Amino acid sequence: MLMVDLILKKRAGEVLSKEEINFMINEYVKGNIPDYQMSAFLMAVYFQGMNEHESTALAIAMRDSGKVYDLSKIKGIKVDKHSTGGVGDKVTLVLGPMVAAVGAKFAKMSGRGLGHTGGTLDKLEAIKGFKLEQSEEDFIDLVSKHGLAVIGQSADITPADKLLYALRDVTGTVDSVPLIASSIMSKKLASGSDVIVLDVKYGSGAFMHTVKDAEKLAEVMVKIGNLAGKKMTAIITSMDEPLGHKIGNGLEVYESIETLSGKGPEDLVTVCVEIGAYLTVDAKIFKTLDEARIELKKTLTDGRALNKFREMVIAQKGDIKMIDNPKSFLTAKTHQIYASEPGYVESFLTTEIGTAARLLGAGRLTKDDILDLDVGVEVNKKIGDKVEKGDLLATIYHNDKGLEEAVKVLTNAIKIGQSKKGVKLIAKVIR
Ligand code: URA
């Protein structure tokens, strides 16, 4: 088999076989296929696409390029979720304890934030001492004992995806549905869970701006998961505004603790309950989605979810005093932004809100940037809220760095107008 023939085949819009895709990934990881040939292939995929069987073969070949977790020692059905990335997206911190509180086994490997989007690992690092690096054995042990663990993605899973993603980044081939779908799914398949819910974001703060585009990506990922033997759901949720109010690592842990204590913002609670309902029904804990929704909501008000979160923090060696005194996450200086005119919040440039948080030090532009875990942004109004002149629109939590620019970016990101608009928080569910 020759790589040039596979490039020509894909350039002509033909379908590659599983054997051809396996050959290409194996030889590329071994260094036998040069980057210039793989770049040409990626560009051919960008223009010609891949069908669901090719996308699945690619995801599986990338999964098998590295370590694949075997979670079969954990009793019961293992559940996992993945978000395509958002602003203020703290769902994992709330959802994990909720589903563990009703008996699910939540085995989650998370990543770091990049650009305007946050990452769960950075958020958890705001809890002093929290241990994210765990061996496979310890991960299995934590999930078996406590029903949940959130750990850093091990360096040895999906090396093919790491190489290909770096190449896509510099060859203009990141935003291709089959390439994104197989990249995300290769990591999900390597993480070993049986039931997966994908939170596919759409809107001004998401990769995919429209529900239609998000749906296309979601459908391919669901197909890949199903063909690889997983029970899959994709929920398309809005990123037209940040999820909840707080954006920034420690700030998001604070808001998660508030939510786990029954005092959370409605949109965050709704997304967590919805994802949790599909996870727990597919894990056979509840018979119906409605039963699951009722029980999951209860865990936020009766202390069970907060207790699970505390249990996870203790088990992963985090400083429990910070959880019991959440104000310890609110140590930065504050700067307020007020409305200069009356009206309604009509829209947000959500990506720009993420950018404002990054300018303060809450996010990174390159993967080596060092974060300030205490800084970030709070949106005090959401879309559809009425605003009077002089009302508080947003609060910046800062340690001086980037303040002036963040104020400008954030002020421009909040659009006040005269019409009352709404947000379609859950746009669609694909199974
Ligand atoms: N996230 C991934 O893991 N891969 C992509 O290709 C895009 C987003």
Side-chain angles (χ1 to χ4, degrees):
M1 218 178 278
L2 290 176
M3 182 62 183
V4 67
D5 292 335
L6 304 187
I7 298 170
L8 288 169
K9 204 167 167 185
K10 188 40 74 186
R11 197 186 72 176
E14 291 173 31
V15 174
L16 299 188
S17 69
K18 193 159 79 179
E19 290 69 32
E20 287 168 330
I21 290 172
N22 282 344
F23 161 82
M24 184 177 65
I25 294 301
N26 289 340
E27 293 303 310
Y28 181 59
V29 171
K30 281 192 219 149
N32 296 336
I33 291 174
D35 281 351
Y36 56 80
Q37 282 194 309
M38 188 51 92
S39 303
F41 177 79
L42 293 170
M43 193 56 85
V45 172
Y46 182 88
F47 285 112
Q48 295 290 5
M50 277 183 152
N51 72 21
E52 63 203 49
H53 294 284
E54 290 174 290
S55 303
T56 304
L58 181 57
I60 289 176
M62 292 202 289
R63 175 197 71 187
D64 293 340
S65 69
K67 182 176 171 62
V68 179
Y69 276 66
D70 174 7
L71 303 184
S72 59
K73 281 197 202 131
I74 304 170
K75 283 208 189 80
I77 297 173
K78 277 69 69 180
V79 305
D80 190 6
K81 62 80 73 163
H82 178 81
S83 158
T84 55
V87 177
D89 181 356
K90 50 201 75 79
V91 167
T92 294
L93 301 186
V94 179
L95 171 73
M98 283 170 80
V99 297
V102 297
K105 296 285 194 287
F106 187 75
K108 176 87 179 94
M109 281 182 211
S110 287
R112 296 198 179 274
L114 192 61
H116 72 280
T117 63
T120 303
L121 293 193
D122 300 320
K123 294 169 206 199
L124 285 170
E125 268 178 1
I127 306 168
K128 287 195 183 81
F130 196 95
K131 190 164 178 265
L132 292 160
E133 270 176 45
Q134 305 277 353
S135 66
E136 181 174 7
E137 210 182 341
D138 289 342
F139 183 45
I140 289 172
D141 205 42
L142 285 166
V143 179
S144 298
K145 273 198 193 128
H146 306 289
L148 80 166
V150 182
I151 69 166
Q153 212 162 62
S154 115
D156 43 11
I157 74 165
T158 62
D161 175 61
K162 289 189 187 84
L163 293 170
L164 281 181
Y165 195 88
L167 199 56
R168 287 166 57 205
D169 210 19
V170 293
T171 55
T173 52
V174 167
D175 53 343
S176 145
V177 166
L179 296 180
I180 297 173
S182 52
S183 162
I184 291 175
M185 288 308 296
S186 67
K187 289 171 281 212
K188 290 287 104 185
L189 299 179
S191 318
S193 282
D194 313 298
V195 170
I196 300 167
V197 174
L198 304 168
D199 183 1
V200 182
K201 304 288 189 192
Y202 82 94
S204 66
F207 228 169
M208 301 291 173
H209 290 302
T210 64
V211 173
K212 218 162 149 230
D213 285 344
E215 216 178 316
K216 275 191 215 147
L217 176 63
E219 275 170 0
V220 179
M221 292 195 287
V222 166
K223 282 266 163 59
I224 294 175
N226 285 337
L227 287 169
K230 306 291 178 186
K231 188 90 189 146
M232 298 293 303
T233 306
I235 305 189
I236 304 202
T237 69
S238 172
M239 214 4 93
D240 271 332
E241 61 182 351
L243 201 54
H245 294 276
K246 292 188 166 60
I247 303 109
N249 301 292
L251 295 174
E252 292 190 42
V253 177
Y254 176 89
E255 192 165 53
S256 300
I257 298 169
E258 288 280 293
T259 308
L260 292 162
S261 311
K263 294 177 282 184
E266 201 181 319
D267 58 349
L268 175 62
V269 171
T270 302
V271 171
C272 292
V273 167
E274 219 41 38
I275 296 177
Y278 285 96
L279 285 178
T280 51
V281 166
D282 282 348
K284 304 198 186 320
I285 291 169
F286 299 113
K287 285 205 175 66
T288 68
L289 290 169
D290 278 342
E291 184 192 356
R293 289 182 185 112
I294 292 167
E295 285 306 311
L296 288 165
K297 261 190 215 156
K298 267 192 218 156
T299 69
L300 294 176
T301 49
D302 64 11
R304 277 182 295 158
L306 182 62
N307 278 342
K308 267 292 163 201
F309 186 69
R310 292 185 80 258
E311 197 180 321
M312 173 181 80
V313 170
I314 293 167
Q316 294 191 230
K317 310 274 185 286
D319 182 356
I320 196 66
K321 291 195 293 301
M322 293 183 80
I323 310 306
D324 294 338
N325 173 28
K327 291 236 162 74
S328 58
F329 294 101
L330 305 181
T331 56
K333 291 182 259 188
T334 57
H335 175 97
Q336 283 75 19
I337 294 177
Y338 297 102
S340 58
E341 52 180 337
Y344 293 94
V345 177
E346 274 191 350
S347 64
F348 288 111
L349 304 177
T350 311
T351 299
E352 295 297 292
I353 298 177
T355 300
R358 177 181 62 72
L359 289 165
L360 298 163
R364 44 173 88 71
L365 204 51
T366 72
K367 64 182 188 343
D368 301 322
D369 288 350
I370 309 276
L371 303 188
D372 180 342
L373 300 173
D374 299 329
V375 300
V377 167
E378 175 175 3
V379 288
N380 299 97
K381 300 276 184 196
K382 302 271 281 188
I383 291 177
D385 282 354
K386 194 162 170 33
V387 172
E388 300 297 342
K389 186 173 174 192
D391 274 0
L392 181 62
L393 290 181
T395 307
I396 289 180
Y397 293 78
H398 69 99
N399 283 321
D400 298 322
K401 183 189 157 188
L403 177 61
E404 211 175 306
E405 213 184 333
V407 170
K408 268 193 227 145
V409 171
L410 188 57
T411 306
N412 180 52
I414 307 171
K415 305 293 184 195
I416 310 287
Q418 295 315 309
S419 55
K420 185 172 164 64
K421 299 236 163 83
V423 169
K424 190 144 189 56
L425 182 59
I426 311 259
K428 202 140 192 175
V429 176
I430 294 163
R431 285 180 46 89

